Amino acid sequence: MDLSYTDEEKAFREEVRAFLAEKLPKAVSDKVRAGISLGKEGHDDWHATLNEKGWLAFNWPREFGGAEWNAVQRHIFEEECALAYAPRIVPFGLSMLGPVLQKFGSKAQQDYFLPRILNGAHWWCQGYSEPGAGSDLASLKTRAVRDGDHYVVNGQKTWTTLGQYANWIFCLVRTDPEAKQQEGISFLLIDMDTPGIEVRPIVLLDGTPEVNEVFFDNVRVPVENLVGEENKGWTYAKYLLTHERTNIAGVGFSQAGLDAVKRIARIESAGGRPLIENPHFAARLARIEIDLMGMATTNMRIISQAAAGQAPGVESSMLKVKGTTIRQEINDLTRRAVGPYAMPFASEMIEGDNDPVGPDYAAPVAVQYFNNRKLSIFGGSNEIQRGIIAKMKMGG
Amino acid sequence: MDFNLTEERRMLQETLRRYLTDRYTTEVRNGIISSEAGLSAEIWAELAELGVIGALFAESDGGFGGAGFDIATVFGELGRAGVVEPFLDTAVLGGGLVAALGDDGQKALLGDVIAGGLHLALAHGEPASRYDLSRVETSVRGDGDDVVLSGRKAVVINAEAAGYLIVSARESGGFFDLDGISLFLVPAGSKGVTLRGYPMLAGGRAAELVLDEVRLPGTARLGEAGKGFAPLMDAVAAANVALAAETVGAMESAVELTRAYLMTRKQFGRPIGTFQALQHRFADLLIELEQARSAVINAAGHLEAPDRDRQIAAARNLIARAGRLVAEEAIQMHGGIAMTQEYELAHIAKRIVMAEHRFGDADYHLERFIALSAA
Ligand SMILES: Cc1cc2nc3c(=O)[nH]c(=O)nc-3n(C[C@H](O)[C@H](O)[C@H](O)COP(=O)(O)OP(=O)(O)OC[C@H]3O[C@@H](n4cnc5c(N)ncnc54)[C@H](O)[C@@H]3O)c2cc1C
């Protein structure tokens, strides 16, 4: 056992830090810290900065323009980014679709789409869920019927994150309604400018327009936009999910969140003393920190195995459950920490620059608390993950 | 023992439930939340007409209730429907203080309050006071027959609609002293008062208040000089009963919505309520809800008793814990749909959780309970 990073890994961390110190504008990290939306442009700019350095597609092989980092390097990078309040890399093109195209896409698809993910020409969104198909994704109903050299798509997707910024959507569609559920699904790439597509925003409980419904009315999609084989889409979708679940533990986010709540608790006072000295608050804080220390090591154990070439199995489900629970606990504690100033709703804060009502750190915390309820719902709900864990260990 | 509501309270409960079910739909309420005023004057008037405000005052003050169980009955119903109108601020806090402390002239305002024609707000909390009720830095000094107030007040709910603000200020003593706090009735628009209004996440509006040398006649004083703390504690005790009942009402709605959804939402070819993983958790919500109902009864039943403060601390601690569980589990068991503003549960969950930020969260009430139990 050796719990320290190697010299190369330490040097790599320094390199990442130096890069962030030089290239991450303070105005941007301030927005991320304050929970203010960056808008499409803000994300595009950060992607461009990373792309210039060759770090945008850090999980892609070099032949496709990626950095081909191993699991430890990815972890270090993601942790440093979270601690520096760098914007998240928007995952849809880079960590979801990219790997699928690299493994299952045609040469023509790889040549056309991958560079456009890197240079920001295409903003992708994920068209999996439907009103009737959430946890039971394989029950999806959106139909694609072959008509000459096109598919004609009809149906509805929902919960499409940032679909309002997207010009392309990758969809799971039903191509064979007769086959067993999982065997009649195909993976289609659809240009959002095609006639017959309508995007309607869904306002979330915190007032943010983060997700959308996407309607398809006789949308004609060229057959060359089918990924891999017809009716094999479920295999590709499952492959994508294994990539969606990288950085699932979100250790860096939790670490940054914990630092933030400590900072707040040193400023806030309760009964005439700093909140951080209040025994009940301190106990809550300590419990979370202890849990996070445990999870960080579990995460590193799994990452080391992955770096040694072992595919994570049930562990990623475990990390999803524990990682999201810890993040939600931190959000809850932060909400408590700010006291009555959690109550104001600074809707203008979400996309604007207005003065906050109370201390600036208080403005986003209630919104973040409610918004992050999503963490245990999407990407395979925590109930579904527990089902997977039990099934893998007990069979059935 | 008899745990039934009196006939009058039962009728009030039924009337309110019927009215709110018909009138205060999700759509209407969401419209009110996004409106500039943040409250509906029409619905306020209609509810006043139904006796909602009168039920919160004793007969001697022109009402027909005012006891703990009157408050619990009214706020339980308001909570079920997720009502955002400021009955707590105008009636329980503002009206309660005027009723307790007002001279005849000041008490004359209560007729208007009960009829729905006048709003009040309590401006007590300050930017640094958090939940500490005795921490008052806003100052008052006498100047001939006048008094002059200076300071800042934080998250003053209903300040913009209020015809009068009840402002606490320190007459003497240090920042945390219980003695030396006085209360003043400050007419809206008084010179030197600046409001910065804003909406709140769970609906309704509040304001940050700056008092810059606000000069009032000495007759603006409410109650005795320097003796404001005890009556403030009384008003806050009643407000805590109201908040507890309101939260439990909202929890009832959250549990009911979850029950209905678990029975109708199908995944994997069957209602999700048939999954045992969800059934047990739903059962836990029902268990906690009963605990919370009992906590409201304990608090309401002791509003006039010597053990009042300890009972109230217990109730609010229990309900804060149970409320958080219900809000989070109800959302989780719904899945994505509960994350949308359009769906009733979203607002109900916000009411439950954000109630913890008024007059003390779970830890604050736990500490009070420990201190009061040791005393
Ligand atoms: C903010 C947000 C963003 C999203 N972004 C996207 C996106 O970009 N693209 C996309 O395709 N989708 C997206 N989703 C959808 C997300 O993947 C689904 O919400 C998720 O799959 C759950 O489905 P559901 O909401 O329909 O809940 P349901 O599947 O109806 O589940 C309801 C409840 O039942 C539980 N449950 C279901 N089955 C079982 C079982 N067998 N055993 C025990 N419990 C069970 C669930 O865990 C949950 O608690 C997003 C969702 C949210 C909230």
Side-chain angles (χ1 to χ4, degrees):
Chain A
M1 290 264 173
D2 178 1
L3 296 185
S4 49
Y5 285 98
T6 64
D7 286 344
E8 293 93 83
E9 286 161 354
K10 284 183 197 148
F12 178 71
R13 190 183 285 278
E14 287 312 315
E15 192 188 350
V16 173
R17 271 190 199 161
F19 170 80
L20 290 169
E22 188 193 341
K23 296 289 187 185
L24 175 62
K26 181 156 184 317
V28 174
S29 57
D30 281 350
K31 275 192 174 181
V32 174
R33 187 199 292 262
I36 298 169
S37 156
L38 297 175
K40 181 174 185 301
E41 250 169 68
H43 285 290
D44 282 340
D45 287 348
W46 181 239
H47 282 191
T49 304
L50 289 172
N51 194 36
E52 203 175 300
K53 176 83 177 167
W55 285 1
L56 178 60
F58 58 75
N59 55 332
W60 292 9
R62 290 221 170 75
E63 58 168 310
F64 296 115
E68 210 172 318
W69 286 342
N70 66 25
V72 178
Q73 288 173 304
R74 287 178 205 178
H75 168 73
I76 290 172
F77 179 74
E78 282 170 338
E79 191 169 67
E80 288 302 322
C81 285
L83 292 172
Y85 294 98
R88 288 202 72 166
I89 294 178
V90 181
F92 307 110
L94 285 149
S95 55
M96 295 186 184
L97 181 64
V100 169
L101 288 182
Q102 287 153 23
K103 186 144 172 106
F104 305 106
S106 66
K107 176 86 175 52
Q109 286 169 343
Q110 291 171 349
D111 290 346
Y112 180 73
F113 288 112
L114 295 177
R116 284 170 176 76
I117 293 176
L118 289 178
N119 69 19
H122 289 174
W123 181 302
W124 285 90
C125 60
Q126 180 185 26
Y128 276 24
S129 305
E130 298 180 3
S135 298
D136 183 12
L137 184 58
S139 70
L140 62 92
K141 290 202 171 66
T142 296
R143 272 288 267 142
V145 179
R146 184 75 185 257
D147 177 24
D149 50 9
H150 282 80
Y151 287 101
V152 180
V153 178
N154 280 288
Q156 184 200 339
K157 294 294 174 182
T158 191
W159 308 122
T160 322
T161 299
L162 300 183
Q164 69 268 35
Y165 298 155
N167 45 9
W168 282 81
I169 181 169
F170 55 88
C171 284
L172 293 180
V173 293
R174 189 158 299 286
T175 33
D176 183 355
E178 309 302 325
K180 248 183 65 186
Q181 271 190 348
Q182 283 84 342
E183 286 161 19
I185 293 171
S186 298
F187 196 109
L188 271 189
L189 310 176
I190 304 178
D191 182 342
M192 305 265 292
D193 287 333
T194 321
I197 297 183
E198 193 196 337
V199 178
R200 288 186 209 155
I202 301 176
V203 179
L204 291 187
L205 80 175
D206 57 12
T208 52
E210 183 178 311
V211 297
N212 301 270
E213 298 177 288
V214 183
F215 295 87
F216 299 86
D217 178 18
N218 286 317
V219 175
R220 295 183 68 81
V221 180
V223 286
E224 61 261 28
N225 288 356
L226 173 75
V227 174
E229 287 175 53
E230 198 176 89
N231 297 329
K232 289 277 189 289
W234 190 248
T235 314
Y236 315 145
K238 284 207 316 206
Y239 179 79
L240 180 152
L241 282 180
T242 63
H243 281 265
E244 185 182 347
R245 289 189 193 138
T246 59
N247 191 26
I248 197 107
V251 174
F253 293 116
S254 288
Q255 196 57 59
L258 204 60
D259 291 351
V261 73
K262 284 183 186 170
R263 208 165 39 237
I264 292 170
R266 280 189 207 105
I267 301 170
E268 288 283 321
S269 75
R273 286 168 56 192
L275 180 62
I276 201 153
E277 292 172 16
N278 174 289
H280 294 101
F281 189 86
R284 285 183 192 274
L285 191 64
R287 270 197 295 271
I288 295 175
E289 188 159 3
I290 290 166
D291 283 348
L292 180 56
M293 286 161 67
M295 190 187 61
T297 297
T298 311
N299 191 44
M300 285 315 298
R301 280 161 53 208
I302 292 163
I303 284 170
S304 306
Q305 285 172 3
Q310 236 171 299
V314 68
E315 293 86 355
S316 57
S317 291
M318 292 179 172
L319 287 175
K320 162 90 199 315
V321 174
K322 199 74 218 173
T324 54
T325 313
I326 289 177
R327 283 179 69 187
Q328 289 174 336
E329 283 296 325
I330 293 171
N331 287 137
D332 179 68
L333 194 64
T334 315
R335 157 178 87 71
R336 284 167 200 286
V338 303
Y341 274 122
M343 289 194 283
F345 175 44
S347 56
E348 67 271 28
M349 287 292 298
I350 291 167
E351 298 235 16
D353 297 307
N354 284 12
D355 265 359
V357 168
D360 57 355
Y361 54 71
V365 303
V367 161
Q368 281 165 356
Y369 165 84
F370 284 106
N371 187 277
N372 272 347
R373 301 316 306 167
K374 72 187 174 191
L375 297 177
S376 48
I377 296 173
F378 66 14
S381 76
N382 284 11
E383 289 72 33
I384 295 299
Q385 304 295 347
R386 288 189 179 93
I388 292 171
I389 295 167
K391 201 166 166 182
M392 281 172 100
K393 291 295 177 185
M394 299 194 291
Chain B
M1 289 208 188
D2 177 4
F3 289 106
N4 296 304
L5 289 177
T6 59
E7 185 59 20
E8 293 79 32
R9 290 185 185 130
R10 212 179 44 72
M11 276 171 56
L12 178 64
Q13 183 182 54
E14 271 174 26
T15 311
L16 259 177
R17 190 168 301 183
R18 207 171 320 116
Y19 169 85
L20 290 169
T21 309
D22 292 348
R23 187 79 167 88
Y24 211 77
T25 58
T26 308
E27 215 185 333
V28 167
R29 204 249 338 281
N30 286 353
I32 294 171
I33 290 176
S34 53
S35 70
E36 213 149 286
L39 60 83
S40 160
E42 211 179 317
I43 284 170
W44 184 267
E46 288 169 13
L47 281 168
E49 179 88 1
L50 288 177
V52 166
I53 306 177
L56 302 171
F57 290 90
E59 268 175 53
S60 52
D61 297 316
F64 57 91
F69 288 110
D70 297 305
I71 296 175
T73 303
V74 166
F75 281 88
E77 294 310 308
L78 297 176
R80 284 177 70 95
V83 171
V84 299
E85 276 69 14
F87 290 96
L88 184 73
D89 307 279
T90 290
V92 180
L93 289 166
L97 282 164
V98 172
L101 301 173
D103 56 30
D104 288 348
Q106 291 166 331
K107 274 188 153 184
L109 298 175
L110 293 179
D112 242 7
V113 168
I114 291 170
L118 177 65
H119 275 280
L120 301 173
L122 173 62
H124 178 52
E126 299 184 356
S129 65
R130 197 181 182 80
Y131 305 124
D132 300 327
L133 288 172
S134 67
R135 178 158 182 171
V136 174
E137 296 183 37
T138 297
S139 68
V140 55
R141 64 179 162 81
D143 184 14
D145 286 344
D146 292 347
V147 290
V148 181
L149 304 179
S150 287
R152 289 184 59 190
K153 294 290 177 182
V155 200
V156 181
I157 298 180
N158 203 34
E160 296 160 303
Y164 291 87
L165 300 162
I166 296 169
V167 177
S168 60
R170 185 161 290 288
E171 202 116 26
S172 62
F175 287 165
F176 284 94
D177 285 354
L178 309 188
D179 262 346
I181 298 170
S182 298
L183 298 168
F184 299 90
L185 260 179
V186 179
S190 293
K191 190 159 170 286
V193 179
T194 323
L195 297 188
R196 178 183 171 199
Y198 49 82
M200 290 183 293
L201 183 64
R205 289 181 66 83
E208 299 298 288
L209 222 70
V210 178
L211 303 150
D212 181 16
E213 296 277 306
V214 179
R215 179 174 291 272
L216 302 162
T219 52
R221 190 190 301 279
L222 193 56
E224 244 184 282
K227 298 282 174 230
F229 186 71
L232 260 172
M233 287 284 288
D234 295 342
V236 170
N240 273 321
V241 170
L243 274 169
E246 184 186 345
T247 306
V248 172
M251 287 163 64
E252 285 172 2
S253 291
V255 169
E256 178 50 30
L257 286 164
T258 306
R259 190 188 67 84
Y261 195 75
L262 289 176
M263 289 175 66
T264 46
R265 169 69 169 174
K266 286 201 176 113
Q267 289 287 276
F268 304 99
R270 52 195 249 207
I272 57 176
T274 61
F275 296 120
Q276 205 168 47
L278 301 186
Q279 285 175 346
H280 284 192
R281 285 158 59 184
F282 179 68
D284 280 339
L285 298 193
L286 291 176
I287 295 168
E288 291 306 315
L289 180 57
E290 288 313 320
Q291 285 283 87
R293 283 180 170 138
S294 293
V296 170
I297 292 170
N298 286 343
H302 288 86
L303 187 55
E304 313 290 336
D307 196 27
R308 177 190 78 184
D309 290 343
R310 188 170 154 276
Q311 291 284 348
I312 283 175
R316 289 227 52 210
N317 172 266
L318 189 152
I319 290 166
R321 288 184 283 126
R324 179 188 168 203
L325 180 84
V326 167
E328 293 183 355
E329 286 284 77
I331 292 174
Q332 181 65 25
M333 290 197 272
H334 271 82
I337 186 79
M339 295 284 304
T340 64
Q341 192 147 72
E342 251 179 39
Y343 187 63
E344 177 69 6
L345 178 63
H347 173 71
I348 294 290
K350 282 188 267 184
R351 294 295 290 181
I352 295 171
V353 173
M354 298 317 287
E356 214 190 331
H357 294 266
R358 278 204 94 176
F359 301 119
D361 62 10
D363 288 352
Y364 171 84
H365 288 291
L366 185 71
E367 282 162 20
R368 267 184 68 74
F369 182 82
I370 294 169
L372 291 162
S373 300

